[in-house]
């Protein structure tokens, strides 16, 4: 796969808590030629206080573990060549996510300084995509060093700008060149 583009279709919460819609999104990812689908799995009670205004909305979007198993099985059965990556948001679900026999993890830039999440994901030995768009070189270095000290996992840095929609002038693609040398 060297020198080729690997396309990841990120489902995020666009399934709106509907398993049928989630399957349609997986179908659409495959039909569009994506190499992988990326899911987001979390345990809301371990991620955020119920007093936060977003809690109720995220509670409606959260799938059960049985539903996640169903979606992974659906993907594996219907599209065996499509990889499955999962964005982990907190440490308590990492073991469950790994039990799904996924192909890799994605971590948000907010977790690059979270040693517990980094260590747990590193121990799986699976490839890790690190979002680094909102991170300093020091934070990225900390995460890479923490993972490499515990694992031989392949690490890919994913750079993106944190605004939607992003104006081309704000992308700062030159920042990627700055990341190339140290990493």
């Amino acid at each position: 796969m060297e020198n080729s583009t690997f396309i990841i279709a990120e489902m995020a919460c666009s399934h709106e808590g509907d398993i049928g819609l989630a399957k349609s999104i997986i179908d659409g990812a495959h039909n569009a030629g994506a190499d992988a689908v990326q899911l987001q799995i979390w345990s809301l009670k371990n991620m955020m206080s119920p007093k936060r205004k977003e809690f109720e909305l995220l509670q409606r979007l959260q799938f059960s573990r049985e539903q996640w198993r169903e979606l992974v099985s659906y993907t594996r059965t219907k599209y065996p060549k499509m990889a499955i990556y999962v964005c982990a948001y907190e440490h308590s679900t990492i073991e469950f996510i790994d039990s799904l026999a996924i192909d890799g993890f994605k971590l948000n830039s907010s977790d690059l300084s979270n040693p517990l999440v980094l260590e747990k994901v590193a121990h799986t030995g699976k490839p890790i995509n690190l979002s680094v768009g909102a991170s300093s070189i020091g934070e990225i270095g900390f995460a890479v060093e923490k993972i490499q000290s515990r694992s031989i996992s392949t690490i890919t840095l994913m750079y993106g700008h944190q605004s939607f929609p992003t104006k081309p002038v704000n992308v700062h693609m030159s920042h990627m060149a700055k990341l190339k040398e140290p990493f």
Side-chain angles (χ1 to χ4, degrees):
M1 181 169 270
E2 194 161 322
N3 294 323
S4 66
T5 302
F6 189 79
I7 299 172
I8 302 172
E10 182 176 358
M11 184 184 307
C13 293
S14 57
H15 55 72
E16 300 176 5
D18 179 331
I19 195 127
L21 182 54
K23 289 177 181 179
S24 294
I25 292 167
I26 292 166
D27 294 339
H30 175 266
N31 295 339
D35 299 296
V37 63
Q38 182 173 287
L39 313 173
Q40 293 181 351
I41 299 178
W42 67 79
S43 172
L44 189 56
K45 69 180 182 174
N46 294 316
M47 189 172 77
M48 150 185 318
S49 166
K51 295 180 181 182
R52 294 279 310 254
K53 65 179 179 179
E54 303 90 348
F55 189 87
E56 189 177 313
L57 169 65
L58 291 174
Q59 196 168 34
R60 289 193 306 267
L61 298 175
Q62 180 174 254
F63 284 141
S64 68
R65 290 184 174 201
E66 293 75 30
Q67 288 172 308
W68 284 120
R69 283 187 195 95
E70 180 181 342
L71 286 172
V72 169
S73 176
Y74 176 84
T75 306
R76 291 283 187 227
T77 301
K78 199 161 180 186
Y79 310 111
K81 292 184 180 183
M82 191 161 67
I84 300 172
Y85 277 74
V86 175
C87 184
Y89 282 88
E90 39 70 38
H91 70 279
S92 72
T93 56
I94 293 169
E95 193 172 304
F96 166 70
I97 294 167
D98 191 37
S99 77
L100 296 173
I102 61 159
D103 298 291
F105 282 87
K106 186 238 182 192
L107 296 178
N108 289 318
S109 57
S110 59
D111 280 315
L112 296 192
S113 58
N114 185 335
L116 185 55
V117 168
L118 295 170
E119 289 173 16
K120 283 186 154 249
V121 170
H123 280 295
T124 69
K126 292 190 177 359
I128 302 168
N129 294 333
L130 294 178
S131 287
V132 299
S135 304
S136 69
I137 297 291
E139 290 168 328
I140 299 166
F142 173 83
V144 168
E145 183 179 306
K146 184 67 83 174
I147 292 166
Q148 288 178 336
S149 71
R150 287 158 174 74
S151 175
I152 58 167
S153 296
T154 302
I155 301 169
T156 302
L157 302 184
M158 300 177 74
Y159 173 72
H161 191 72
Q162 307 296 315
S163 67
F164 302 99
T166 302
K167 296 176 183 170
V169 71
N170 293 332
V171 173
H172 304 292
M173 292 298 285
S174 62
H175 185 64
M176 289 180 72
K178 290 179 186 174
L179 296 174
K180 185 177 181 179
E181 188 174 315
F183 304 108

